[in-house]
Amino acid sequence: MDIWIIFIIIYTILVSFFETSRKKAAEKSSIFSVLYLVTLIALILSVFISPDFYQAPLSAVISIGAKSIIVVFAWFFGLYALSKLPISTYSIVHSSRIVFAVILSVIIFSEPLSTEKIIGIILIIAGIVLANYNPKEKKKKKKAYSYLPIILLLVACVLTAVSEILDKALMRELSVGQMQTWFLFFSAIYFRIILLIKREKVNYKLITTNYWIPLSSVFLVSADRFLFYANKDPGSEVSIMVLFKQLSVILLIIMGKIFFKEKNIVKKLLCSLLIIAGVAVLFI
């Protein structure tokens, strides 16, 4: 087995733990405090393992600063949705970012919209819709249910897709450490500014009292490292990487059952297989 495949499998596992720990952290602390502290700790970790971060070209650093604004909004919308939705539902809806990435590639890069891509998109959307469709719900629950978290999650998926497209261009002139460190640097600054605007005090003791925060930082840095190294491998194949990434949907559904006692797990697992089939049609 090629080393980059091992890297992407490890990334998939770590990013699943990252999302789970973020949700657990947000249960005990405010969303912006969690985002700021997770990013700050991750930045410190990245600086220690990225001795060449200061050698990044100024033009690239400025571009990362602009890109980070997009990611900050994506992370906020995503974590808000994650704090309100079952993590299994979140993982399934989050798969829609692949659809948005394909659509943006067609629009921006004039990539052909083949029959296979259309079928793949339909399968992914079908999996997402079926996973969230429950005709047995009581009318009271339907009236009380808010679609705001799902709408914001879809917006986060669009922003994430835009960010991933920008990454392709930025990684041409940056090392893994430079990309990660400067992104975390700007993100930490932006989240701190938001906290100042909100006049929300940062309780740094949360780093020790809410242990899910430092755990999230470790999973974030580790996951991104393996992903970047997999991308850097000249033999890596994007189609295979995208397919392996979708395994995180299955892992998060299982974690939803273990950590949050979520229901309808079997149905969601079946829907996740439909989504993975759609991804396979798209990229294989």
Side-chain angles (χ1 to χ4, degrees), residues 57-69:
L58 179 60
S59 59
V61 171
I62 294 173
S63 297
I64 294 173
K67 164 200 140 63
S68 299
I69 296 175

Side-chain angles (χ1 to χ4, degrees), residues 187-232:
S187 298
I189 289 177
Y190 295 151
F191 284 128
R192 188 68 184 95
I193 291 173
I194 292 172
L195 286 169
L196 288 173
I197 294 173
K198 288 172 59 63
R199 295 181 179 179
E200 183 177 329
K201 293 183 178 180
V202 181
N203 182 7
Y204 290 96
K205 290 183 179 179
L206 289 174
I207 296 174
T208 55
T209 58
N210 187 349
Y211 62 87
W212 292 105
I213 290 177
L215 274 177
S216 296
S217 301
V218 173
F219 288 135
L220 171 61
V221 173
S222 303
D224 279 353
R225 284 279 160 160
F226 281 106
L227 176 61
F228 288 145
Y229 281 126
N231 280 320
K232 279 287 187 181

Side-chain angles (χ1 to χ4, degrees), residues 28-151:
K28 300 180 178 181
S29 310
S30 72
I31 291 176
F32 280 115
S33 290
V34 169
L35 288 170
Y36 170 64
L37 291 174
V38 167
T39 307
L40 180 63
I41 298 169
L43 170 62
I44 295 171
L45 293 173
S46 185
V47 167
F48 275 107
I49 59 178
S50 306
D52 66 335
F53 77 92
Y54 63 90
Q55 297 175 342
L58 179 60
S59 59
V61 171
I62 294 173
S63 297
I64 294 173
K67 164 200 140 63
S68 299
I69 296 175
I70 298 174
V71 179
V72 162
F73 281 103
W75 278 15
F76 168 64
F77 293 148
L79 184 55
Y80 175 82
L82 183 59
S83 67
K84 302 296 182 181
L85 296 170
I87 195 168
S88 53
T89 300
Y90 168 89
S91 66
I92 290 172
V93 176
H94 196 248
S95 299
S96 64
R97 71 189 186 281
I98 299 171
V99 175
F100 293 124
V102 172
I103 294 173
L104 287 172
S105 296
V106 171
I107 296 173
I108 297 174
F109 300 112
S110 300
E111 293 183 1
L113 186 59
S114 63
T115 303
E116 290 80 5
K117 287 183 178 179
I118 294 174
I119 294 173
I121 289 172
I122 292 173
L123 288 174
I124 292 172
I125 294 175
I128 293 172
V129 172
L130 289 173
N132 292 281
Y133 178 67
N134 189 356
K136 294 183 179 180
E137 283 184 334
K138 295 180 180 179
K139 291 183 179 180
K140 290 183 179 180
K141 288 186 177 180
K142 285 187 176 180
K143 290 181 180 179
Y145 184 78
S146 173
Y147 289 94
L148 179 61
I150 290 182
I151 293 172

